[in-house]
């Protein structure tokens, strides 16, 4: 295992211990809002702090982009980590065990290693560029299904009505009638991981942050799948929308999403500043400030004591 992936694994398992402990007493977890249907908890923030400290202790010259605080460490470093401490916060606060820690490391702009850890199931998805993807050390491959009518599709999008909403709903309706089913499970990183694992045949997402996609995109690619933005390019981390799937299902899904892609192009042409639908690091900083003004007022030491008292997630 790559030394940086080993460090990331240790950080993710520490985070998993904290998340698992908090999930046993979810009613006591403090919850704030960053926007409509967009929640942040003291667990997100404490886990994020712990992961950042672990990474910067090991690699003090690296930079980090994270969902809640934005930029940390050395922003000018060729090594940049992209992390989501708890992808699926809404599921977490409702007691639904479908959430994950997502981490990726980019070197000179190209993702080299990826990790997605699902604490509730102890599933660890990992990938190294050029060396394949694995689930709990078992090699992953995307599905070989040929027909969209037999495919199971995942989707992620924000609960925010905008000029693309009607196109999104139209695509969702069409796909619901022309595939084996569409699942909106509340964690974009796990959607991508499950495409890599062959549980989903493909997935798509709109209105995502780079932290939602970076790790999962490498997993899919290294498992033999295809990944692009809705326009067929490779700028998904910046644009905030993504399509991923097996080689046979991917182009069939892309054709069903033409209306969504067109709506985004029209918004760009009309000068809509939100047309990328992406959640940027600046957005993250603003969200973090808004959450701090609301609640929770995070007491990291209290949560750290809980984590220390918890048994580490099984290796």
């Amino acid at each position: 295992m790559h030394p940086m992936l080993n460090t990331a694994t240790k950080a993710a398992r520490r985070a998993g211990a904290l998340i698992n402990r908090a999930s046993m007493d979810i009613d006591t977890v403090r919850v704030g809002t960053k926007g409509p249907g967009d929640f942040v908890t003291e667990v997100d923030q404490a886990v994020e702090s712990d992961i950042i400290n672990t990474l910067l202790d090991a690699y003090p010259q690296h930079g980090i982009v994270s969902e809640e605080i934005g930029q940390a460490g050395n922003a000018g470093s060729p090594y940049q980590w992209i992390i989501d401490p708890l992808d699926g916060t809404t599921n977490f606060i409702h007691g639904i065990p479908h959430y994950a820690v997502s981490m990726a490391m980019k070197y000179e702009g190209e993702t080299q290693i990826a990790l997605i850890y699902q604490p509730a199931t102890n599933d660890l998805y990992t990938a190294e560029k050029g060396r394949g993807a694995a689930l709990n050390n078992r090699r992953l491959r995307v599905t070989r299904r040929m027909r969209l009518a037999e495919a199971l599709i995942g989707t992620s999008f924000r609960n925010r009505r905008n000029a693309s909403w009607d196109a999104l709903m139209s695509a969702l309706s069409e796909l619901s009638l022309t595939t084996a089913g569409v699942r909106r499970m509340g964690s974009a990183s796990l959607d991508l991981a499950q495409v890599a694992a062959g549980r989903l045949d493909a997935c798509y997402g709109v209105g995502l942050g780079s932290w939602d996609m970076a790790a999962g995109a490498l997993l899919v690619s290294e498992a033999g799948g295809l990944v692009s933005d809705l326009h067929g390019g490779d700028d998904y981390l910046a644009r905030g929308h993504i399509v991923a799937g097996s080689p046979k299902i991917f182009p069939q899904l892309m054709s069903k999403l033409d209306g969504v892609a067109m709506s985004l192009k029209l918004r760009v042409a009309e000068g809509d500043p939100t047309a990328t639908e992406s959640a940027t690091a600046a957005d993250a900083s603003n969200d973090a400030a808004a959450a701090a003004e609301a609640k929770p007022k995070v007491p990291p030491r209290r949560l750290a004591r809980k984590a220390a008292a918890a048994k580490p997630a099984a290796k």
Side-chain angles (χ1 to χ4, degrees):
M1 181 182 288
H2 191 289
M4 291 185 189
L5 185 53
N6 189 48
T7 299
T9 298
K10 291 177 181 178
R13 290 195 183 278
R14 280 173 55 94
L18 174 55
I19 293 167
N20 282 339
R21 175 67 176 177
S23 72
M24 297 170 62
D25 197 14
I26 196 68
D27 289 341
T28 68
V29 173
R30 302 178 192 178
V31 181
T33 59
K34 299 186 288 185
D38 193 4
F39 300 99
V40 60
T41 73
E42 59 183 340
V43 179
D44 295 71
Q45 296 170 325
V47 167
E48 179 181 62
S49 178
D50 191 74
I51 291 173
I52 289 173
N53 288 338
T54 299
L55 293 177
L56 291 183
D57 282 348
Y59 307 109
Q61 298 305 313
H62 287 197
I64 297 173
V65 175
S66 185
E67 179 175 12
E68 307 305 337
I69 69 164
Q71 183 73 49
N74 180 5
S77 172
Y79 294 94
Q80 293 292 324
W81 293 84
I82 303 174
I83 66 174
D84 191 337
L86 182 54
D87 182 31
T89 300
T90 302
N91 286 344
F92 173 75
I93 64 178
H94 285 83
I96 299 171
H98 190 77
Y99 40 80
V101 179
S102 178
M103 306 170 66
M105 191 279 292
K106 298 176 73 175
Y107 175 69
E108 294 186 343
E110 192 166 358
T111 306
Q112 300 294 324
I113 63 173
L115 174 153
I116 295 175
Y117 181 54
Q118 191 171 4
T121 60
N122 197 33
D123 281 336
L124 180 68
Y125 301 83
T126 56
E128 296 181 47
K129 186 171 180 61
R131 301 191 64 180
L135 168 57
N136 300 328
N137 295 316
R138 178 178 60 84
R139 185 68 179 263
L140 294 181
R141 297 299 295 177
V142 295
T143 66
R144 297 181 179 179
R145 206 162 275 111
M146 304 287 289
R147 299 176 59 242
L148 186 63
E150 299 169 353
L152 189 62
I153 309 298
T155 186
S156 298
F157 51 84
R158 294 183 174 193
N159 296 329
R160 296 182 184 178
R161 188 174 185 91
N162 53 39
S164 297
W165 183 259
D166 289 343
L168 272 171
M169 293 301 100
S170 178
L172 181 61
S173 176
E174 173 70 11
L175 287 167
S176 297
L177 295 172
T178 57
T179 67
V182 181
R183 302 289 183 264
R184 187 185 181 207
M185 295 182 282
S187 172
S189 65
L190 283 176
D191 285 351
L192 290 161
Q194 296 199 65
V195 171
R199 296 171 179 172
L200 293 173
D201 296 285
C203 69
Y204 66 100
V206 177
L208 305 179
S210 59
W211 43 82
D212 296 313
M213 300 178 282
L218 184 62
L219 279 166
V220 173
S221 296
E222 289 297 319
L226 301 176
V227 182
S228 80
D229 58 41
L230 279 165
H231 308 311
D234 60 2
D235 204 20
Y236 44 87
L237 294 185
R239 291 183 181 272
H241 45 75
I242 192 168
V243 184
S246 65
K248 294 295 184 182
I249 300 300
F250 176 87
Q252 298 176 64
L253 176 58
M254 284 289 286
S255 69
K256 296 289 186 181
L257 298 172
D258 283 346
V260 180
M262 182 59 69
S263 73
L264 292 171
K265 285 184 177 180
L266 287 173
R267 290 169 62 194
V268 169
E270 292 167 0
D272 183 346
T274 66
T276 61
E277 289 292 302
S278 64
T280 64
D283 294 332
S285 297
N286 293 336
D287 286 344
E293 288 179 3
K295 286 184 179 180
K297 300 294 185 183
V298 182
R301 291 190 182 88
R302 178 169 71 84
L303 284 173
R305 287 197 295 271
K306 283 188 177 184
K311 291 182 179 180
K315 292 185 179 178

